[in-house]
């Protein structure tokens, strides 16, 4: 049996970050993963260019049963800190919209950077073998990995959540947490397309049509693009609100978020022969479908009251999703290891010395746009300071 100072389960963003920082602090660290290569979610993110952080990362952009939990880690390891690391490795990057930062080249550069950092800390990385029995006795954790068993006084759960199972994702983090006395907030798919029932099939016929909207679920609202699909709704605005949506609830979409009050009546005065579909300024197929549902043709033939009602409906069009496309299409997971059992400063379990949980495994879920990677870096860094 080999002994280390810390065992990190999971060679994703959070696990590699934690291991690299702890290794460079002089700790002997081993990273174990069943996947054949490290950083698989990093490699597919951002269309292969990795949206590696967001300039606006702050605790109010994250969902958690404890909305304050993420403040400490995010405040101590910031987006600027990660950008400095990226630049130190000579990785060119650019900013897209809404503070989203991407590699100019490939997501593989981020994985290579993390592996180089881990190597600088003397970290041992073992991949491609199943995780077996995980035990704890006499202040030591033991983990079976393939034919080997390793032991350490510290164990870091960095195995992520069940989103995108084709990459090997699973709920092992929750099994380990429960085994060691931590509670789990019920996980559900997040940043995921929504499906529409049969009575809204007309909109599924618009598959491929996208337009800028404001989408709302509960008190959350996001101004980005929505995309109609053959199963329902997707696009950045929909993925964002999906994290807040609950079964049985409606989502609201404002199809003309920049329009001034009374714009349809004004359009009627200016061009009475124009049709509602023509006045909407939306993709033709979508405009025709919305006008058909509203029941207004030529503007001049409609009363001001009817146009005001149409305007109100377009500003808060209600869809009633019957579900999501599930963990298979979810970018991340809402829920996870309950923060009540963890230290917000160190990510350590309060009741069991040496046990830590970081990254997506924890009940902290960011918005779309690099926020979840920043949580991976920050929570991994925080735990590494305590190892």
């Amino acid at each position: 049996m080999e002994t280390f100072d810390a065992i990190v389960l999971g060679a994703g963003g959070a696990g590699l970050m934690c291991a690299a920082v702890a290794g460079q602090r002089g700790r002997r660290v081993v990273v174990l993963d069943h996947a054949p290569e490290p950083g698989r979610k990093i490699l597919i993110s951002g269309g292969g260019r990795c949206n590696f952080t967001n300039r606006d990362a702050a605790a109010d952009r994250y969902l958690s049963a404890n909305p304050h939990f993420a403040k400490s880690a995010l405040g101590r390891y910031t987006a600027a800190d990660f950008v400095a690391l990226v630049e130190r490795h000579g990785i060119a990057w650019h900013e897209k919209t809404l503070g989203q930062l991407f590699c100019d080249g490939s997501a593989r550069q981020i994985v290579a950077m993390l592996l180089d950092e881990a190597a600088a800390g003397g970290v041992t990385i073992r991949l491609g073998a199943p995780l077996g029995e995980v035990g704890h006795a006499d202040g030591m954790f033991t983990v079976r990995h393939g034919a080997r068993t390793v032991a350490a006084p510290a164990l870091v759960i960095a195995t992520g959540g069940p989103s995108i199972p084709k990459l090997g994702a699973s709920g092992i983090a929750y099994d380990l947490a429960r085994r060691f006395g931590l509670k789990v907030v019920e996980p559900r798919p997040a940043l995921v397309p929504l499906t529409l029932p049969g009575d809204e099939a007309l909109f599924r016929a618009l598959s491929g049509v996208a337009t800028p909207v404001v989408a709302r679920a509960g008190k959350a609202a996001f101004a980005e693009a929505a995309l109609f699909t053959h199963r329902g709704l997707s696009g950045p605005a929909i993925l964002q609100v999906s994290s807040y949506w609950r079964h049985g609830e409606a989502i609201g979409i404002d199809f003309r978020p920049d329009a001034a009050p009374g714009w349809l009546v004004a359009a009627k005065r200016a061009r009475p022969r124009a049709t509602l579909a023509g006045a909407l300024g939306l993709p033709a197929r979508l405009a025709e479908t919305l006008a058909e549902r509203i029941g207004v043709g030529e503007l001049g033939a409609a009363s001001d009251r009817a146009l005001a009602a149409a305007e109100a409906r377009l500003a808060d069009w209600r869809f009633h999703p019957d579900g999501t496309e599930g963990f298979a299409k979810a970018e991340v997971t809402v829920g996870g290891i309950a923060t009540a059992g963890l230290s917000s400063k160190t990510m350590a379990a309060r009741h069991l010395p040496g046990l830590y949980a970081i990254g997506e495994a924890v009940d902290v879920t960011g918005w779309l746009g690099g926020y979840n990677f920043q949580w991976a870096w920050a929570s991994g860094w925080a735990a590494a300071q305590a190892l």
Side-chain angles (χ1 to χ4, degrees), residues 309-371:
E311 196 178 299
R313 189 171 181 193
L314 288 163
D316 188 24
W317 197 286
R318 293 303 177 105
F319 289 94
H320 295 82
D322 59 359
T324 75
E325 292 196 24
F327 285 116
K329 295 293 180 69
E331 294 195 19
V332 290
T333 306
V334 165
I337 298 173
T339 58
L342 304 174
S343 161
S344 63
K345 183 177 181 181
T346 66
M347 305 292 124
R350 297 184 182 280
H351 72 290
L352 181 57
L355 181 64
Y356 299 78
I358 59 176
E360 190 186 341
V362 178
D363 175 32
V364 174
T365 306
W367 289 0
L368 183 73
Y371 291 96

Side-chain angles (χ1 to χ4, degrees), residues 82-354:
F82 193 77
V83 169
L85 178 63
V86 166
E87 291 181 339
R88 201 156 65 240
H89 283 258
I91 299 172
W93 58 274
H94 60 279
E95 182 172 344
K96 281 194 174 179
T97 57
L98 304 172
Q100 301 169 15
L101 307 188
F102 289 77
C103 297
D104 285 0
S106 165
R108 291 192 177 277
Q109 294 173 285
I110 298 296
V111 176
M113 177 191 77
L114 293 169
L115 293 176
D116 286 348
E117 288 288 312
V123 174
T124 300
I125 299 177
R126 293 179 181 160
L127 308 171
L131 289 174
E133 183 68 22
V134 180
H136 179 258
D138 300 324
M140 294 290 282
F141 293 91
T142 55
V143 180
R144 184 84 173 166
H145 184 243
R148 295 174 169 177
T149 299
V150 296
L155 177 71
V156 182
I157 300 173
T159 52
S163 60
I164 320 186
K166 70 180 180 182
L167 296 183
S170 73
I172 186 175
Y174 313 144
D175 298 336
L176 290 170
R178 291 187 183 102
R179 177 175 177 182
F180 290 123
L182 291 169
K183 293 183 178 178
V184 174
V185 176
E186 184 64 32
R188 55 190 173 88
L191 302 183
V192 64
L194 300 174
T195 57
L196 293 176
D199 58 352
E200 293 185 343
L202 180 61
F203 289 97
R204 293 210 298 272
L206 297 173
S207 180
V209 174
T211 189
V213 302
V214 170
R216 298 182 179 86
K219 295 180 179 179
F222 295 92
E224 292 193 64
L227 169 70
F228 290 90
T229 73
H230 67 287
R231 296 189 65 188
L233 295 166
S234 188
I238 302 303
L239 298 183
Q240 293 280 37
V241 297
S242 73
S243 299
Y244 296 83
W245 176 77
R246 295 296 191 130
H247 277 274
E249 296 177 352
I251 65 163
I253 291 186
D254 184 349
F255 282 108
R256 286 294 310 268
D258 298 326
W263 66 274
L264 263 182
V265 173
K268 170 185 170 180
R269 303 279 188 269
R271 293 186 301 136
R273 300 296 299 274
T275 63
L276 175 60
L280 288 178
L282 296 171
R285 282 197 294 150
L286 173 59
E288 289 162 7
T289 299
L290 293 175
E292 180 184 330
R293 284 287 182 103
I294 291 171
V296 170
E298 202 171 273
L299 296 181
S303 68
D304 287 2
R305 177 180 290 183
L307 293 180
E311 196 178 299
R313 189 171 181 193
L314 288 163
D316 188 24
W317 197 286
R318 293 303 177 105
F319 289 94
H320 295 82
D322 59 359
T324 75
E325 292 196 24
F327 285 116
K329 295 293 180 69
E331 294 195 19
V332 290
T333 306
V334 165
I337 298 173
T339 58
L342 304 174
S343 161
S344 63
K345 183 177 181 181
T346 66
M347 305 292 124
R350 297 184 182 280
H351 72 290
L352 181 57

Side-chain angles (χ1 to χ4, degrees), residues 4-41:
F4 293 85
D5 296 323
I7 302 166
V8 176
L9 299 182
L16 291 175
M17 184 71 172
C18 179
V21 174
Q24 291 180 31
R25 294 184 64 243
R27 306 299 183 262
R28 293 180 61 249
V29 183
V30 62
V31 178
L32 307 177
D33 202 310
H34 70 283
E37 62 180 335
R40 300 184 90 184
K41 265 197 174 181

